[in-house]
Amino acid sequence: MTADARDRLLALRARAEARVQATAATLDELTHDRESSNDDDEHDPEGVTLSSEWSRLTGLAEAASSELRQVDDALARVDAGTYGLCANCGRPIPAGRLEARPFAEYCVACAEKLGG
């Protein structure tokens, strides 16, 4: 299971890293566009405003960064030999939960108690 888990986590990490880089590049472009524009896009009835797009992209970037951190933490648990064990109660995390959330840190019962 550990080799399979590592492979799945590494694939998930690659996708999250790609999303982090893509959103950062798009945010950089938007920043450049915003600096070179004197338009009042907030009152433009057509299209999405730069502020709305900025908020959307910032949310996507934060979500991708968070997932990347969670995957890195899960890879550290694989290395430590604790992957698949609940960080709260120490019992095994069900395979179905790890299938759905490969970076899960808690079993279902503890996640419900802890709100995670």
Side-chain angles (χ1 to χ4, degrees):
M1 174 172 121
T2 304
D4 289 343
R6 177 180 291 286
D7 290 343
R8 287 184 62 223
L9 288 166
L10 288 173
L12 193 59
R13 186 185 195 291
R15 289 192 303 270
E17 178 66 29
R19 286 196 333 270
V20 166
Q21 291 175 1
T23 53
T26 305
L27 278 168
D28 286 346
E29 288 175 23
L30 186 62
T31 300
H32 180 266
D33 290 348
R34 217 173 182 177
E35 289 172 352
S36 63
S37 175
N38 291 330
D39 295 338
D40 180 13
D41 78 325
E42 296 302 319
H43 298 97
D44 183 359
E46 300 195 21
V48 177
T49 64
L50 290 176
S51 295
S52 295
E53 186 65 2
W54 181 268
S55 294
R56 185 186 74 80
L57 288 170
T58 300
L60 290 173
E62 289 171 1
S65 293
S66 175
E67 184 174 323
L68 187 58
R69 281 190 302 278
Q70 290 177 64
V71 171
D72 284 342
D73 290 347
L75 285 166
R77 289 192 300 277
V78 169
D79 292 341
T82 60
Y83 180 79
L85 299 176
C86 179
N88 189 53
C89 70
R91 285 179 275 189
I93 299 171
R97 178 158 170 80
L98 290 174
E99 183 70 30
R101 286 183 58 99
F103 44 79
E105 190 173 359
Y106 303 108
C107 67
V108 175
C110 288
E112 287 175 354
K113 274 193 282 186
L114 300 169

